[in-house]
Amino acid sequence: MKLLKRNVSLRFIRVLQNWYSKLCASVQCNGVVGDVFPINCGVRQGGILSPILFSIYMDDLLIELRESGYGAYLSNLFSGSILYANDVCLISRSCFGLQKMLDICSRYGVTWDILFNPAKSHAVPFGGNNPETAVHLNNKTINW
């Protein structure tokens, strides 16, 4: 069964590679259509496969965050990282744990060419004042 699943997965990946490797576009402005150019990366935003492919792309990050032991848990359920659309929410019980999780995201981003934007990121404390400790993403401080 495992071999069958792997073969189906490999065929699915080959179909996607073939499909996305042949994408092209042109720009239309005031009724004039420009030259056709190839699209070399990314998927169509709003495309039906976009959320599925994003989930597959990010699955290893979620596994790495869960296995790090730094996120929050509800009983035995890991709830330290939540993804919605293209947003990631990290939940930790400590600033130290949060920083470790941010470091994991930074490394994952470098490996898989994902830019986690510190300017669009925020840290929110629950149950107290803003901590004195700064947390960083991609060597930039995240605002409390």
Side-chain angles (χ1 to χ4, degrees), residues 58-69 78 81 104:
M58 297 297 284
D59 193 50
D60 287 338
L61 174 62
L62 294 177
I63 291 168
E64 197 171 333
L65 288 167
R66 182 182 66 231
E67 290 177 351
S68 74
F78 177 72
S81 56
I104 290 168

Side-chain angles (χ1 to χ4, degrees), residues 99-119:
Q99 184 60 63
K100 291 295 187 181
M101 293 173 79
L102 289 166
D103 293 342
I104 290 168
C105 289
S106 293
R107 284 192 305 275
Y108 190 85
V110 168
T111 302
W112 295 104
D113 197 25
I114 302 170
L115 179 60
F116 294 101
N117 190 344

